[in-house]
Amino acid sequence: SGILRAIPPIPYRGKFRNSTGADGTPLSEADTVPLYVQDLKETILAEAPNSVAAFIAEAIQGVGGLYPLLPGYLPAAYEVVRANGGVCISDEVQTGWGRLGSHYWGFENQGVIPDIITCPKSL
């Protein structure tokens, strides 16, 4: 039905950053990752179950600052997307090509391998 948007799991401005558990204690950043993955699942199931074309994500969000996605999000998100027929695309325009210091690509911080990589340079 078109382009769907998932909530980005960034620690500073993320939707679930101030969430609490059933007992009222604050959730850690790691504990909010399943909430973001569930949001992605619900978005897909509501609009495009088993018919996702692609999932495009920056491993480090470049809009409004450079914020890394919460650890563990991309592996879980890629699993959801691929289970619904989609390919995973890593947007490396701002963070690729060794700009991070420790890794050549931003997605390497998440331990995933995308199906497609976008980059600002022609190869």
Side-chain angles (χ1 to χ4, degrees), residues 76-91:
Y78 278 20
E79 183 177 322
V80 169
V81 170
R82 289 176 173 146
N84 282 279
V87 296
C88 299
I89 302 171
S90 182
D91 179 345

Side-chain angles (χ1 to χ4, degrees), residues 41-119:
K41 285 180 189 176
E42 290 171 4
T43 300
I44 291 171
L45 292 175
E47 299 289 332
N50 300 313
S51 62
V52 173
F55 173 77
I56 303 171
E58 294 176 295
I60 298 176
Q61 300 286 291
V63 177
L66 293 172
Y67 299 109
L69 298 180
L70 291 172
Y73 175 74
L74 278 185
Y78 278 20
E79 183 177 322
V80 169
V81 170
R82 289 176 173 146
N84 282 279
V87 296
C88 299
I89 302 171
S90 182
D91 179 345
E92 296 289 338
V93 171
Q94 292 188 48
T95 60
W97 299 98
R99 294 181 179 132
L100 301 175
S102 62
H103 294 89
Y104 198 72
W105 302 110
F107 64 81
E108 291 177 301
N109 286 328
Q110 292 270 333
V112 296
I113 298 176
D115 301 302
I116 299 170
I117 300 169
T118 62
C119 51

